[in-house]
Amino acid sequence: MPKHRKDDIKTMSESTIFKPLYVLTHSPINAHFSKNSDDFVVRELPLYEASGSGEHLMLHIQKKDLSTQEAVRILSETSGAKMREFGYAGLKDKQGLTSQFITMPAKFESFLSTFSHENLKILDAKRHINKLRTGHLKANSFFIRLKKVSQTDADKLVQALENIDKIGYANYFGYQRFGKFGDNAEAGFRALCGKGVKNRKINDFLISAFQSDLFNRWLSKRVEISRFINDFSKKQIAEIYGYDTQTINELKAQKQFFKLFRGDVMGHYPFGKFFLCEDLEAELDRFCRRDITCGGLILGAKSIASTQLARAIEDEIYANALEFASKMQGSRRFAWAYLEDLKYRYIPEKAHFTFSFTLQKGSYATVVLEEILHKNIFE
């Protein structure tokens, strides 16, 4: 292996667990969070209803402390259908109480009359015309209960939630992407360097974690720039980043927290295609109305390319991985997203603080929770 490649792997190893920057600047909030079925509830919102006819059966399941794969395995063993015959729109958390939709061949539906499992319930079953595929969901709704919350910290939680509801949040990938020991991204980089495992599916999974890590690093840099643009003078910005006067003036004129650059890739929000931003002034107005949002790079051959300064920032963050772009499919991911249907309540006699909200598919409630609490939620 070339020496520079060994050095790159060493660099990855020394920075395995990357902590992205928070958007808000408040001090950590004291609250106890436990990811269990009483305090963490996830409900998948389907993209469409079951058709009522067809060769597939759409199951609405509720699982407790089971991963999606574990739930499918239970259904497979009980019904006789093969694992590969099941379809689902997304993977749901193992810890907590979660509900989602799963499809299977309708010819196995006779098992429903006798199915019983302590941690898995079938809430509904209807015929459907096709197998569910990854991404075939509208959004996910979350309920979170925090405990041991004082009145003072409850007030801080309300303020943090309202701030995020007002300005949006950085749509980082959550810890779930990076493995129990936080080393999936490093392993993915090794796989790209020819040092992967023999199982292709595992290599692909690890490489996707590496792509996610790069995305988080890029988004953290954009959060840093946005914060500095707000907090520092034009002269200081020029000294820190070397931007020209016109660019600094354009960025300073933007009133929203997350700053847009010429050459950014934008996406129709919350659903729609990505496109190159060619008229910054016009797209800024749409961004502030939440009609569109910035699309961060998931490195790969099929990713829409950014241009100008937006491209320069990407090239800086993705430098060690650009040579591998042809080995990955690539895409764009919403970098800036928003809470929907936010509700919260403080119960002082129990010292409980509960809140609920909806996130677009692919977003992580744990990322929002860490942004609110400003600390590792599992410490």
Side-chain angles (χ1 to χ4, degrees):
M1 183 184 297
K3 183 179 184 299
H4 78 278
R5 185 57 58 220
K6 290 182 179 179
D7 291 342
D8 288 345
I9 291 178
K10 182 179 179 182
T11 299
M12 282 291 299
S13 301
E14 291 172 347
S15 57
T16 294
I17 302 176
F18 174 74
K19 289 296 294 181
L21 285 177
Y22 296 125
V23 172
L24 303 180
T25 57
H26 61 267
S27 59
I29 298 175
N30 294 317
H32 175 73
F33 173 67
S34 177
K35 203 174 182 188
N36 59 65
S37 57
D38 291 324
D39 301 332
F40 186 74
V41 180
V42 185
R43 182 169 60 93
E44 182 179 279
L45 306 181
L47 187 61
Y48 44 74
E49 298 295 329
S51 61
S53 62
E55 297 180 355
H56 297 268
L57 194 66
M58 184 181 288
L59 306 179
H60 187 195
I61 68 168
Q62 178 179 281
K63 58 188 186 64
K64 177 181 177 182
D65 298 329
L66 291 172
S67 68
T68 298
Q69 289 284 4
E70 288 170 340
V72 169
R73 185 172 293 107
I74 292 169
L75 293 171
S76 173
E77 293 172 350
T78 307
S79 68
K82 296 179 180 179
M83 291 277 288
R84 66 173 180 270
E85 295 180 296
F86 287 83
Y88 45 82
L91 299 175
K92 295 293 177 286
D93 299 77
K94 177 174 181 174
Q95 293 83 21
L97 184 67
T98 64
S99 66
Q100 67 180 116
F101 293 85
I102 289 178
T103 56
M104 61 178 293
K107 63 184 179 181
F108 296 100
E109 65 181 325
S110 60
F111 88 101
L112 293 172
S113 60
T114 57
F115 179 78
S116 178
H117 191 279
E118 181 181 7
N119 294 328
L120 179 61
K121 294 181 179 180
I122 298 176
L123 305 177
D124 193 21
K126 294 180 180 177
R127 291 270 183 147
H128 191 54
I129 55 175
N130 61 269
K131 181 180 181 179
L132 273 177
R133 303 290 183 182
T134 302
H136 283 196
L137 72 155
K138 181 180 180 182
N140 291 297
S141 177
F142 299 88
F143 168 85
I144 295 173
R145 178 184 286 110
L146 301 175
K147 297 178 179 178
K148 302 179 182 179
V149 180
S150 68
Q151 180 65 62
T152 299
D153 286 314
D155 293 339
K156 293 179 181 178
L157 285 167
V158 169
Q159 187 62 60
L161 282 166
E162 291 186 346
N163 286 339
I164 288 294
D165 194 36
K166 179 180 179 181
I167 69 172
Y169 67 95
N171 192 29
Y172 294 118
F173 283 99
Y175 71 92
Q176 299 94 321
R177 294 286 290 173
F178 305 113
K180 183 177 180 180
F181 302 105
D183 56 357
N184 282 357
E186 177 193 344
F189 186 67
R190 290 182 180 276
L192 289 169
C193 293
K195 296 292 183 179
V197 298
K198 293 182 179 180
N199 189 306
R200 182 177 177 179
K201 287 186 177 181
I202 293 178
N203 276 337
D204 289 345
F205 171 76
L206 295 173
I207 289 171
S208 72
F210 175 63
Q211 292 171 297
S212 301
D213 180 74
L214 287 173
F215 174 91
N216 276 8
R217 292 170 188 266
W218 166 83
L219 181 50
S220 184
K221 184 67 175 182
R222 289 290 296 260
V223 169
E224 174 203 293
I225 295 171
S226 297
R227 184 183 294 170
F228 281 22
I229 293 297
N230 287 334
D231 295 344
F232 288 84
S233 68
K234 294 180 180 180
K235 181 180 179 181
Q236 289 172 318
I237 295 301
E239 292 173 349
I240 295 170
Y241 297 115
Y243 297 160
D244 59 68
T245 301
Q246 180 183 350
T247 297
I248 295 173
N249 287 338
E250 287 178 349
L251 293 170
K252 277 286 189 181
Q254 296 183 31
K255 301 304 180 184
Q256 81 284 353
F257 174 83
F258 188 82
K259 311 304 181 188
L260 300 184
F261 286 87
R262 293 190 181 276
D264 264 328
V265 173
M266 308 299 292
H268 296 276
Y269 189 86
F271 307 106
K273 295 182 178 180
F274 288 100
F275 61 94
L276 183 64
C277 175
E278 297 179 317
D279 185 341
L280 181 60
E281 288 73 20
E283 305 306 355
L284 267 171
D285 181 62
R286 296 173 68 196
F287 177 74
C288 291
R289 295 201 311 268
R290 304 187 181 185
D291 291 338
I292 61 172
T293 191
C294 183
L297 177 62
I298 305 297
L299 184 64
K302 295 185 178 181
S303 306
I304 298 176
S306 58
T307 62
Q308 302 181 68
L309 185 53
R311 176 65 177 268
I313 297 170
E314 288 180 357
D315 286 349
E316 175 188 346
I317 301 300
Y318 293 75
N320 288 342
L322 292 175
E323 66 183 276
F324 300 114
S326 62
K327 296 183 179 181
M328 299 174 280
Q329 183 171 345
S331 62
R332 288 278 168 174
R333 170 184 171 86
F334 291 154
W336 199 252
Y338 304 94
L339 303 183
E340 296 177 19
D341 305 318
L342 174 66
K343 298 180 179 64
Y344 53 81
R345 180 188 178 199
Y346 180 52
I347 309 171
E349 59 271 21
K350 293 184 177 180
H352 288 183
F353 188 96
T354 65
F355 58 106
S356 61
F357 52 88
T358 297
L359 300 181
Q360 294 303 315
K361 62 183 180 181
S363 297
Y364 294 79
T366 50
V367 167
V368 174
L369 183 56
E370 285 211 4
E371 175 66 65
I372 293 164
L373 295 180
H374 271 206
K375 63 181 181 180
N376 187 326
I377 58 177
F378 296 114
E379 285 183 344

